[in-house]
Amino acid sequence: MKSSNTPNPGRSARDAKPTRPTDDGWEVVDRVVFPMEDRSATLPLYAIEWTQPRMNRDEIDPFDDCYSIDFSAMNSSDMTRLINASVRPVANVGSEVFAIDGRTEIRVHAGHAVSLCTYFNAFPAGYWRRWTGVDTVRFTAQAHGSGMVTLMRSSGRGLLHAVEAVPVRSPRGFTHISVDLPMTDLLDGGFFWFDAHADDACELRIRDAAWSVPVRARTQAAPTSFSIAITTFNRPAYCLRQLRTIAADANVRARLDTIYCTDQGTDRVCDQEGFAGTCTELGTQLTYIQQANLGGSGGFSRGMFETLKAGTSSYTMLLDDDAISEPESILRAVQFADYCLNPTIVGGGMFHLDNRTVLYAQSEIVNRNNMRTLPAVGQRYNQDYAQFPLRDQPHLHRRFDSDFNGWWMCLIPTHIMREIGLSLPVFIKYDDIEFGLRAQDAGYTTVSLPGVAVWHQAWHAKDPQRTWEDYFDNRNRWICALLHSGKPTPQLLYQMAYNDVTIGLRLVYSAMHLHHLALRDVMRGPRYILDSMPTKLADVRKAREGFSDTETRPNIGDFPAAAAQYAATATPRPMKEVKSTGIRTLVRTLLGNGDGSGDTRPEIAIPAKEATWIAFRGKSSALVTSADGDSVAWCRRDDRLFRTLFKRNMFLARVFLHRFGELATQYRGADIASVACWASIFDDQPEPSE
């Protein structure tokens, strides 16, 4: 397939040059920056008021986490002390403490102090110590006014201490600060940062603060460059915003070859007002491609494919079209990769777009027994850095190792792509996970680097099990298991049964049917997966028709009013009791003949947040709103259909596990993610309609 590339008049002038080593053999790899937009929503990620640090018992005593609390032996005073010990005020970023005077300048008001031990401005020294040959880091800054700049560091335990305090007595102009910090005591993690204290009678201004490393430790020939791959489908406004953000950052563009923007939609980015101006501004740094909808894997693979074909970039940065980028993160990923001892995938975290200080995930791993993802050891999902700043969270100072990184932001060396190929041609879901595992199996590491992140729409507005996406989620997870699990495990069979049970008890029978189709398609082999890629979405949409859970309406009033509203008022119970209740509910459903097809009105209305299997117990039909709040379905119980679908899927699951070894050999030998395979896919697609 030929690309529809927007002609560009030439590269526009930029007001920055590529970051190059200085005359003394040091290179800036991490600038201290501050937000220029959405400051009120994001500032705690950059700078906070300094407060006296506190030490937790578990930082010193490793056995502190080994003992349970005997709540029955506690009185009211003991409970109060326990709660108060963990209460911390929300990070203060008030204007009475400091002000942001520019992208790289902060002003601390007289008598106040700030700490830069924050997500975006603490230097991740532990990661540099583990994955690069850097043994010393240099901090430099310009300071003006009167006060103290204190260089700080932490260990993997989260223990904090000062390295050097630099007095500032420069009322007439800026003075230069330079401090070298050795990379010691960092194998388990740790950060470097600075705190700034202004004297009572004078402000203190800090600008152009940066962390530099010795050029001799660089493993990539300088200067390297990179391309960006963005894929979009009918989100033109979001995509254009992403292009504008990159176009406006001179430092990023100084290292950028081109942005491969692959538009697979019908509502095109090129038709947006302002696109022509952005296109002109980017010049040859934008390659706009139109192609048929091949999903996220097809869009990202197109950008990776074009990068390899051009042969000028050292890396490809994958960026979601609807993410909001911190441009400095892009540079940090590239510069970290330049110093890694071996070719390394460098990923970034994902902050919630609707709650900008909450980090959904930074480092994730995969349980290969059931192919489910979970936070890295010691991590957790949804960390709020406004309520719990980095400095006050010792467990976040350790180094976290990843198996993969989400493709909301991920830098991949071209060397790795040449060796292991591109994304699996699986449309959506699990393409990023599988690529990370494939790279890991080939001996390449994924590092999810703190200080590198984007803001992206959170998953709580989605429920894939109630949409066509559930087919791809399950099919691709099973393919991933065939490629990267040694043999089928009881956990995998349990997970397959658990998926059917939980959605069936929620009356989402269409998803059970999609599981049936997914298993059959996986067992048809890799050639079928490849050949059906362009048409499978339409097939899946068609397969969902006819189920009550798919017959949605835009308004609740389009259905009869429910007889009751669901309220989750049950008394919390131990996990063992909840599981026991679930098993009893499943048995009753398998043996029952419940049928809500004759209901003249829904028995209960269930909001999306409460739509767990518990809410549907004993109900013949329910009015259920979608996770995004834009539609509603009248789900009707059909125990006989549940039994039929459950038995069919368990039969197919047993066949799948019996054929696991044979299928694994087929999929591993097919090499459907190869560059040559993707070249044939792109060539076979029809020209995009004008």
Side-chain angles (χ1 to χ4, degrees), residues 34 94-102 104-110 112 114 144 196 198 203-207:
F34 304 102
S95 58
E96 75 281 0
V97 178
F98 64 91
I100 304 302
D101 289 340
T104 63
E105 184 170 348
I106 186 170
R107 175 162 38 96
V108 186
H109 298 316
H112 289 279
V114 298
H144 173 33
E203 291 186 333
L204 178 62
R205 295 168 62 188
I206 308 292
R207 73 181 185 191

Side-chain angles (χ1 to χ4, degrees), residues 12-82:
S12 59
R14 298 186 295 272
D15 45 3
K17 296 180 179 179
T19 302
R20 298 183 186 277
T22 58
D23 293 338
D24 58 357
W26 293 79
E27 180 178 7
V28 173
V29 295
D30 199 317
R31 299 186 310 152
V32 173
V33 296
F34 304 102
M36 302 309 295
E37 297 180 356
D38 303 323
R39 190 175 294 168
S40 61
T42 64
L43 197 48
L45 301 175
Y46 295 85
I48 59 175
E49 181 184 25
W50 181 90
T51 55
Q52 184 67 39
R54 291 179 291 177
M55 183 178 294
N56 296 328
R57 285 176 52 185
D58 61 301
E59 296 172 50
I60 301 298
D61 182 6
F63 284 97
D64 196 56
D65 289 333
C66 298
Y67 306 123
S68 62
I69 296 176
D70 185 0
F71 287 100
S72 62
M74 298 181 71
N75 58 31
S76 178
S77 297
D78 291 333
M79 178 63 72
T80 300
R81 283 193 292 269
L82 178 65

Side-chain angles (χ1 to χ4, degrees), residues 339-354:
Y339 283 82
C340 285
L341 296 173
N342 298 296
T344 300
I345 299 169
V346 184
M350 188 196 101
F351 282 94
H352 288 249
L353 194 59
D354 52 6

Side-chain angles (χ1 to χ4, degrees), residues 1-13:
M1 169 187 157
K2 297 178 181 179
S3 64
S4 176
N5 292 358
T6 298
N8 292 318
R11 182 173 298 190
S12 59

Side-chain angles (χ1 to χ4, degrees), residues 502-519:
T502 54
I503 60 177
L505 295 182
R506 294 166 58 199
L507 314 186
V508 189
Y509 303 125
S510 65
M512 297 182 72
H513 179 53
L514 293 186
H515 290 185
H516 165 217
L517 296 182
L519 274 167

